[in-house]
Amino acid sequence: MDHFDLSFVPEREDPFKDLLLKMREKFGLDHVAYAGFNPISGTTHGHVTYDDEWTRHYAKKGFFKVDPTLNEARRSVAPVDWSRLEHNKNFTAVFRDAHDFGITDTGMTIPIRGPFGDMGGLSVNSRLSQPEWRKLKQHIITDLQQVAANVHDLVMQSNPLMRALSAPHLSTREVEILQWTAAGKSQQDIGDILSISHRTVEVHLRSSRKKLQALTTVQAVGRAIALGLVYPG
């Protein structure tokens, strides 16, 4: 899919907005938005904290086709800071109008890719100055990546077939290690707690990442939390 076509998202579909609002407050952001595509059900999902006026304007203008914050994230595996985007005609078109609605071009989009071709992007936006934004981003980036994976999986698993397909089978030890990881413990700490070597811990984490179809341990923890296998630290 070349873009997240949010014009086909039903207006009534917004069960995750409260979650995004809590994220906005927790991380000190101005706005949080999620967009994703589920290839199993063929549905597009969009949940935002933006005002309805901007959401309608965005859809009416067809910005989902050219929005560089989403299109660049679709091609990336790493978080995309908007300050690094090329200020081309698409960037200008989207953010010229966004500024009229009080939305700045300071922000970041975190791409998420699932095991069944599903994809998503969690975008966050701030009115902070660039130096203040860089400081905040450094402080929250790890947590945001975990939350992004969590949100994506929660949205995707709202479809029964996707939920059935994505149910992993982790060993008791793998769940235990992921739980300690969620609590902020290092591999060395976990090894000491469980009386095993840190290399053994890494073997279990590698297996967990594979079973959860996660690129990173942070993403694996997020998915395990979303599935109810472990609890937030």
Side-chain angles (χ1 to χ4, degrees), residues 184-221:
K185 300 298 183 182
S186 68
Q187 290 186 28
Q188 187 62 59
D189 292 336
I190 297 171
D192 293 341
I193 292 168
L194 300 178
S195 298
I196 58 178
S197 71
H198 73 276
R199 292 182 180 178
T200 300
V201 173
E202 172 54 32
V203 169
H204 286 298
L205 285 174
R206 190 182 308 127
S207 175
S208 298
R209 290 194 296 268
K210 183 177 180 180
K211 290 179 179 179
L212 290 163
Q213 298 291 324
L215 296 175
T216 66
T217 298
V218 169
Q219 189 178 57
V221 170

Side-chain angles (χ1 to χ4, degrees), residues 134-169:
R134 285 192 292 268
K135 184 177 179 180
L136 176 64
K137 183 179 73 170
Q138 184 178 14
H139 180 66
I140 67 176
I141 181 63
T142 299
D143 287 340
L144 270 181
Q145 287 179 287
Q146 180 174 314
V147 171
N150 195 351
V151 171
H152 176 74
D153 289 343
L154 285 172
V155 174
M156 292 299 107
Q157 289 159 21
S158 63
N159 174 262
L161 179 57
M162 178 68 84
R163 186 165 56 249
L165 289 172
S166 62
H169 299 284

Side-chain angles (χ1 to χ4, degrees), residues 2-42:
D2 291 336
H3 53 260
F4 301 114
D5 189 347
L6 299 184
S7 65
F8 292 104
V9 176
E11 290 187 5
R12 67 181 181 277
E13 183 193 11
D14 207 7
F16 298 96
K17 185 172 182 178
D18 285 345
L19 175 60
L20 299 188
L21 288 170
K22 290 177 181 177
M23 288 173 56
R24 184 177 72 177
E25 181 178 356
K26 176 179 179 180
F27 294 116
L29 301 161
D30 285 314
H31 290 291
V32 180
Y34 167 83
F37 175 68
N38 184 337
I40 302 299
S41 61

Side-chain angles (χ1 to χ4, degrees), residues 37-219:
F37 175 68
N38 184 337
I40 302 299
S41 61
T43 53
T44 300
H45 302 262
H47 308 284
V48 303
T49 64
Y50 295 117
D51 293 337
D52 291 342
E53 289 80 2
W54 167 245
T55 304
R56 287 193 292 267
H57 182 82
Y58 185 95
K60 181 179 179 180
K61 288 283 189 175
F63 284 153
F64 53 84
K65 297 178 181 178
V66 300
D67 189 341
T69 69
L70 293 179
N71 289 338
E72 186 62 30
R74 184 177 56 82
R75 296 188 288 267
S76 177
V77 295
V80 176
D81 192 299
W82 298 352
S83 66
R84 298 182 180 179
L85 295 173
E86 180 184 356
H87 286 213
N88 55 25
K89 64 179 182 180
N90 290 336
F91 183 97
T92 300
V94 172
F95 282 105
R96 179 187 56 214
D97 285 17
H99 287 167
D100 292 339
F101 289 83
I103 301 169
T104 73
D105 57 8
T106 298
M108 171 177 59
T109 300
I110 299 172
I112 313 107
R113 286 174 174 74
F116 304 105
D118 49 297
M119 64 177 69
L122 184 77
S123 296
V124 298
N125 173 258
S126 174
R127 291 191 182 92
L128 294 174
S129 66
Q130 279 298 321
E132 291 173 324
W133 164 244
R134 285 192 292 268
K135 184 177 179 180
L136 176 64
K137 183 179 73 170
Q138 184 178 14
H139 180 66
I140 67 176
I141 181 63
T142 299
D143 287 340
L144 270 181
Q145 287 179 287
Q146 180 174 314
V147 171
N150 195 351
V151 171
H152 176 74
D153 289 343
L154 285 172
V155 174
M156 292 299 107
Q157 289 159 21
S158 63
N159 174 262
L161 179 57
M162 178 68 84
R163 186 165 56 249
L165 289 172
S166 62
H169 299 284
L170 300 183
S171 69
T172 301
R173 182 64 93 186
E174 288 166 348
V175 171
E176 191 175 24
I177 289 174
L178 284 175
Q179 183 62 72
W180 282 115
T181 303
K185 300 298 183 182
S186 68
Q187 290 186 28
Q188 187 62 59
D189 292 336
I190 297 171
D192 293 341
I193 292 168
L194 300 178
S195 298
I196 58 178
S197 71
H198 73 276
R199 292 182 180 178
T200 300
V201 173
E202 172 54 32
V203 169
H204 286 298
L205 285 174
R206 190 182 308 127
S207 175
S208 298
R209 290 194 296 268
K210 183 177 180 180
K211 290 179 179 179
L212 290 163
Q213 298 291 324
L215 296 175
T216 66
T217 298
V218 169
Q219 189 178 57

